[in-house]
Amino acid sequence: MLSRTASSLYWIGRHIERADFVARLVEAALQFELLPQAMGSDDWASAVASSAGSDRFLASGQETNRANVIAFLAFDPTNPASIVSCMDKARSDARAIRTAITRECFETLNEAHLAMKGQVRRGKAGHIQEFIDWIKTIARSFEGAMHRTMLRNDSLWFLRLGGAIERADNTARLLDVKYHCLLPQGQQVGGMHDQAQWTALLRSVSAVTAYRWIYRDGLKPWLVADLMILRKEMPRSLAACVDEASAMLGCLRQDGGRTGAADRQARKMQTQLAKLDVEDVIQSGLHEFLEEFLADNNRLGFAVSDQFLF
Amino acid sequence: MAAQAFDEMYGLTGHEPRPSYRAIADWLNQTDHADLSTQQQAAETIFRKLGITFAVYGDEDAEERIIPFDITPRVLAAKEWSRLEAGLIQRVTAINAFLTDIYGKREILSAGILPPELILANPQFRVAMTTIRPPHDIWAHICGIDMVRTGPDDFFVLEDNARTPSGVSYMLENREAMQRLFPDLFAQHRVRPVESYPDMLLAMMRSSAPKGAGDDPCCAILTPGQFNSAFYEHSFLADHIGVELVEGNDLQVIDRKLFMRTTEGMKRVDVLYRRVDDDFLDPLMFRPDSILGVPGLMDAYAAGNITIVNAPGTGIADDKAIYSYMPEIVRFYTGKDAILPNVQTFRCREPEDLAYVLDHLPELVVKLVDGSGGYGMLVGPRSTKDEIETFRQQIIASPQRYIAQPTLALSTCPTLVEEGIAPRHVDLRPFILTGSNGTHIVPGGLTRVALKEGSLVVNSSQGGGTKDTWVLAEDELPVDADNGKEG
């Protein structure tokens, strides 16, 4: 496969995943706003922080409030992590390499592109929840088309590799922004505010029910951390994402792709996570752990581009 | 003008449909106009969803448009097509012989058939190609010959396209859309299939590989990228023949061999179907500021390590100044008269012709010899006095840049427009493939239609549309009209 094609596939995977994630961030903040524990601008600031857009947002000098943050995260074409930017880049890449994806995959992104203007107009006119639901539907349609129609070959592996690396990044950021409320300090453990924060965090990744099924217990901060970091059953946990990335690199290797630094980096991350215990993570500093994980995950991304001559 | 034109369905005079159109005429009479419009919209929705779009230069708002598609097919009877086919093969054979000759021995100049300066001082003449022999001596692997019709047996060549003719994807997509929308119509006709084009294209490319390439030559299509107006077609073709669609950045010349960068390392390329103009192919040889091409590509070509489809320098064969000599060129290389005549052409470079042209501007079509896409031309009968006068000054300033032709009564074909079914002018671009496996044509081509009433400009960049083109397998319809009706 052409290296340029591989790069585009990888970035389609990443951008779709990111668009879905940012949509979920906005949704979580909207839901949180309805609760009596809502803290106003703080909640919106943490949504911006989870999208890794704090510096850019602050530089724009805007007030941190609902309207500005939604505009920034959902509709701002100058914010590279906004939903519209991610969708636009994914479609543009898909168009450039449309021979490498199936007609169904391309049509999903192309139809989204054609409908985007109208959807944005409605979203800006107050129907933000509809816009978010629509974006989540697009992401699911794309993944459905991908799983149902793509050949099991390197095209699919690169798409999924991008998705896995992006998803790991997103989960780690989400946790990092909320880590203070997962720690047994400040307010009384399990205080009303924390409880609501955990629920919001879990809900933003559609994992409230998953939590109940796995732990059959009330919300406990260390269990939330366990679920999001170490539980392989949880499709967004760091462990599951790293496993997926590693598996995709394995498939590429089997199909005759080059091997090298990316394979080693993925193995290293897998080994580290396997040794961990959630108690240790919390004792030795959740924030430090997540920062290190984000750096490692970034290194994996760079190693992938080097290894496949992007 | 429109009143005198030959109609593809009704001929010159009658209200009785010609035999090849009988079933189409019945269908049009029996189907409600609103139903047809609904079907037409359905087709356009399909095209837009698939991203079958093209870009118009200089029109930012309409970055991606679809070419309007008309659902009434253009039908050619078996006899009509077989004459066209023979004529097209003859013409393309002559074009290839002509290119081999002028970049080689130049016998046609020695014989005094063409003025030497017309070749040697032509901006389309690539000096670099005088020292390079393309593999198998094939230059114009893919030609699109634009045909117009003025009567039952009167087909003329309007233009030869020997560089990188586009439009073949529309031929294929139009057929697919028609078959999806109107399966009954196909059941009533025996329409020869066009679906084999991608296979023919791949077979042609493989047969054209350099001799050293082995049994399984690697082919690729070179595109300028997704912002090119014909990008859809480039990716469509790559997808349908199963080869990589590469950009200049993906390619690299190492040791006079061409490679593409892949996730498995560097891979050798033997045949490159380029949809990039000569000027941009190799910054070391042609335009140094080009980022679309590959440095060293021409060196690999000179070493005989790559086949470029079409060869650089073929533009000289479709130059409009050369066009006027095509009847002589065909006779010189094939020893026979051209089966397909040219449209009468006045060369403004010659004083007598120039005088005639300047006297008759309101009734002529004047074209730039190196223009394309309907740009830089004057359609006398449809222009204002001011436009004619402005053009007159341009011709006087550099007469060698222009040719002129009488305004032809192009044939019309029934077309669905807002008011219903109405005649609109059409042309036809068949696609001719030449490899070391011979010269082949898919039965049909792209029919372009000028959607504005009375307009003669069919170019998609100027508001033209397209139709499916049917070549019938035999002249008699196998099913009589009654069986075709809904029971």
Side-chain angles (χ1 to χ4, degrees):
Chain A
M1 173 185 294
L2 285 179
S3 297
R4 176 174 53 84
T5 307
S7 166
S8 293
L9 288 163
Y10 171 84
W11 281 104
I12 291 171
R14 288 198 74 146
H15 281 129
I16 298 283
E17 185 64 37
R18 195 177 297 178
D20 178 78
F21 175 69
V22 175
R24 287 166 182 280
L25 281 181
V26 175
E27 185 174 35
L30 283 169
Q31 283 172 352
F32 203 77
E33 212 179 31
L34 304 177
L35 298 175
Q37 302 86 352
M39 305 193 24
S41 66
D42 273 9
D43 299 320
W44 290 106
S46 71
V48 174
S50 304
S51 83
S54 296
D55 292 350
R56 180 177 292 270
F57 186 79
L58 291 176
S60 74
Q62 301 178 79
E63 193 190 329
T64 309
N65 59 30
R66 177 196 161 114
N68 289 346
V69 170
I70 289 180
F72 177 76
L73 289 181
F75 306 124
D76 186 351
T78 66
N79 170 13
S82 74
I83 297 173
V84 291
S85 296
C86 290
M87 293 304 291
D88 191 53
K89 274 181 264 177
R91 190 267 182 170
S92 169
D93 269 336
R95 192 166 180 265
I97 52 118
R98 55 175 300 162
T99 54
I101 54 177
T102 55
R103 191 177 255 211
E104 286 83 354
C105 287
F106 178 75
E107 279 181 16
T108 309
L109 297 183
N110 198 46
E111 282 174 38
H113 173 77
L114 296 174
M116 184 61 84
K117 260 192 192 162
Q119 292 285 354
V120 166
R121 204 177 313 118
R122 283 186 57 74
K124 282 182 177 166
H127 302 275
I128 181 66
Q129 185 61 45
E130 273 177 40
F131 181 76
I132 285 163
D133 289 340
W134 179 66
I135 292 292
K136 285 161 69 182
T137 310
I138 301 287
R140 286 200 303 272
S141 310
F142 180 79
E143 291 200 341
M146 181 175 105
H147 283 285
R148 295 185 75 106
T149 63
M150 297 262 309
L151 288 177
R152 267 50 187 163
N153 66 12
D154 45 1
S155 295
L156 182 61
W157 314 144
F158 277 112
L159 272 174
R160 285 174 59 183
L161 179 61
I165 291 179
E166 181 66 28
R167 187 175 267 208
D169 182 85
N170 294 339
T171 300
R173 278 181 203 288
L174 188 64
L175 282 175
D176 198 26
V177 170
K178 303 274 184 190
Y179 82 98
H180 53 274
C181 69
L182 291 170
L183 296 178
Q185 57 192 16
Q187 284 192 45
Q188 192 194 344
V189 183
M192 287 298 281
H193 180 254
D194 283 1
Q195 186 89 14
Q197 288 275 14
W198 302 332
T199 313
L201 189 152
L202 288 177
R203 187 175 290 137
S204 64
V205 295
S206 308
V208 180
T209 318
Y211 180 94
R212 304 279 179 207
W213 270 103
I214 290 181
Y215 301 105
R216 305 198 174 276
D217 200 348
L219 284 176
K220 304 256 166 56
W222 56 91
L223 291 184
V224 173
D226 182 58
L227 179 70
M228 301 289 283
I229 295 172
L230 297 174
R231 277 294 184 155
K232 296 193 173 183
E233 304 95 306
M234 171 65 196
R236 282 175 194 273
S237 73
L238 301 186
C241 294
V242 172
D243 275 359
E244 162 92 352
S246 182
M248 292 305 107
L249 286 165
C251 291
L252 287 166
R253 199 160 53 229
Q254 274 189 348
D255 284 359
R258 292 157 54 101
T259 54
D263 299 79
R264 289 194 295 276
Q265 175 70 10
R267 262 198 307 276
K268 182 188 129 195
M269 291 168 72
Q270 261 182 315
T271 320
Q272 277 172 350
L273 285 171
K275 283 191 302 205
L276 280 183
D277 181 283
V278 74
E279 298 285 331
D280 302 344
V281 174
I282 290 177
Q283 287 305 321
S284 60
L286 181 58
H287 176 62
E288 288 73 16
F289 165 78
L290 290 169
E291 278 202 321
E292 197 173 315
F293 179 86
L294 281 168
D296 263 336
N297 196 50
N298 256 341
R299 267 179 231 123
L300 177 59
F302 285 121
V304 166
S305 3
D306 279 353
Q307 183 166 322
F308 297 104
L309 310 173
F310 285 8
Chain B
M1 182 62 53
Q4 310 160 6
F6 172 80
D7 190 78
E8 301 272 341
M9 182 147 89
Y10 291 112
L12 269 173
T13 48
H15 295 284
E16 195 54 32
R18 299 167 61 237
S20 49
Y21 272 92
R22 230 171 257 149
I24 299 286
D26 286 346
W27 170 63
L28 290 177
N29 286 334
Q30 287 160 13
T31 316
D32 193 50
H33 176 203
D35 285 353
L36 291 176
S37 295
T38 310
Q39 299 281 37
Q40 177 121 324
Q41 276 160 16
E44 297 203 345
T45 307
I46 295 172
F47 287 160
R48 192 171 285 284
K49 213 167 75 173
L50 294 177
I52 304 179
T53 56
F54 75 107
V56 178
Y57 293 119
D59 187 352
E60 263 186 39
D61 221 18
E63 180 205 332
E64 293 163 23
R65 273 202 222 158
I66 58 167
I67 294 189
F69 167 66
D70 182 72
I71 56 169
T72 49
R74 194 264 184 88
V75 185
L76 291 164
K79 254 189 279 170
E80 292 169 342
W81 176 254
S82 63
R83 198 173 133 253
L84 280 181
E85 190 177 32
L88 291 165
I89 291 176
Q90 180 196 41
R91 193 161 178 116
V92 168
T93 307
I95 285 175
N96 273 302
F98 168 69
L99 287 162
T100 306
D101 187 29
I102 57 160
Y103 288 111
K105 296 181 186 157
R106 302 200 187 128
E107 286 171 355
I108 196 164
L109 301 187
S110 320
I113 300 202
L114 289 178
E117 72 276 13
L118 199 58
I119 301 290
L120 305 176
N122 195 307
Q124 293 298 326
F125 184 75
R126 303 274 174 229
V127 179
M129 292 306 295
T130 56
T131 56
I132 299 176
R133 262 186 95 163
H136 312 283
D137 280 336
I138 301 163
W139 295 72
H141 303 81
I142 305 170
C143 284
I145 308 284
D146 289 349
M147 308 286 311
V148 294
R149 184 180 200 179
T150 59
D153 296 312
D154 305 311
F155 286 90
F156 296 91
V157 175
L158 185 65
E159 218 172 281
D160 301 287
N161 295 282
R163 277 172 265 190
T164 47
S166 59
V168 79
S169 57
Y170 298 105
M171 170 182 89
L172 297 167
E173 293 283 10
N174 287 355
R175 175 62 56 85
E176 200 183 320
M178 283 301 280
Q179 282 176 332
R180 239 193 260 186
L181 291 171
F182 307 110
D184 294 353
L185 272 187
F186 283 88
Q188 288 172 48
H189 292 82
R190 289 183 53 190
V191 182
R192 293 181 62 191
V194 294
E195 290 78 3
S196 57
Y197 182 83
D199 293 340
M200 284 168 59
L201 177 61
L202 184 61
M204 179 280 285
M205 285 170 67
R206 293 171 63 96
S207 84
S208 305
K211 295 219 169 61
D215 296 338
D216 189 17
C218 172
C219 305
I221 298 182
L222 174 64
T223 174
Q226 66 161 314
F227 299 107
N228 183 268
S229 66
F231 178 76
Y232 171 74
E233 176 155 303
H234 307 162
S235 66
F236 175 95
L237 288 172
D239 201 15
H240 281 69
I241 66 178
V243 304
E244 294 289 359
L245 181 65
V246 297
E247 294 179 14
N249 284 333
D250 301 321
L251 299 174
Q252 198 176 338
V253 173
I254 306 168
D255 288 340
R256 310 187 85 189
K257 298 179 186 82
L258 182 67
F259 291 89
M260 57 185 178
R261 211 167 56 248
T262 78
T263 54
E264 291 154 40
M266 303 302 278
K267 183 158 193 253
R268 177 87 184 264
V269 178
D270 302 297
V271 182
L272 189 65
Y273 172 14
R274 48 79 177 227
R275 295 292 297 256
V276 169
D277 289 345
D278 287 359
D279 279 344
F280 298 95
L281 265 186
D282 180 349
L284 299 182
M285 180 69 88
F286 303 119
R287 277 179 61 160
D289 59 338
S290 168
I291 51 163
L292 304 175
V294 193
L297 180 65
M298 289 301 288
D299 190 38
Y301 193 46
N305 288 332
I306 175 101
T307 297
I308 300 179
V309 171
N310 291 349
T314 53
I316 187 98
D318 66 21
D319 183 90
K320 292 188 182 69
I322 302 290
Y323 162 86
S324 62
Y325 292 94
M326 276 309 284
E328 288 91 332
I329 290 173
V330 171
R331 200 176 309 117
F332 186 76
Y333 294 108
T334 68
K336 297 197 176 99
D337 283 337
I339 299 170
L340 298 173
N342 265 13
V343 176
Q344 186 190 11
T345 302
F346 302 97
R347 303 165 186 146
C348 299
R349 64 201 317 280
E350 293 172 14
E352 264 178 47
D353 282 13
L354 177 63
Y356 178 88
V357 169
L358 293 176
D359 275 353
H360 296 83
L361 276 180
E363 53 200 74
L364 295 173
V365 177
V366 190
K367 297 175 181 173
L368 270 175
V369 290
D370 52 359
S372 71
Y375 293 102
M377 76 189 248
L378 174 83
V379 181
R382 314 233 166 264
S383 301
T384 64
K385 274 201 175 137
D386 282 353
E387 283 166 346
I388 290 176
E389 285 319 304
T390 313
F391 220 84
R392 183 191 304 279
Q393 296 315 315
Q394 289 170 21
I395 299 172
I396 293 170
S398 41
Q400 73 287 353
R401 295 190 63 204
Y402 294 92
I403 56 153
Q405 293 167 338
T407 312
L408 294 181
L410 297 195
S411 63
T412 56
C413 188
T415 299
L416 182 66
V417 295
E418 262 181 47
E419 310 84 64
I421 298 289
R424 290 291 182 268
H425 295 293
V426 293
D427 77 350
L428 173 67
R429 174 181 289 184
F431 296 89
I432 303 100
L433 300 175
T434 307
S436 71
N437 62 344
T439 296
H440 304 279
I441 315 180
V442 125
L446 180 66
T447 291
R448 297 185 297 178
V449 52
L451 293 171
K452 251 192 275 168
E453 188 171 2
S455 169
L456 296 170
V457 184
V458 296
N459 303 77
S460 50
S461 48
Q462 313 258 321
T466 66
K467 285 171 174 292
D468 190 14
T469 309
W470 293 6
V471 172
L472 299 184
E474 51 199 72
D475 284 340
E476 294 301 314
L477 290 176
V479 183
D480 67 51
D482 286 340
N483 290 348
K485 286 176 189 161
E486 298 279 30

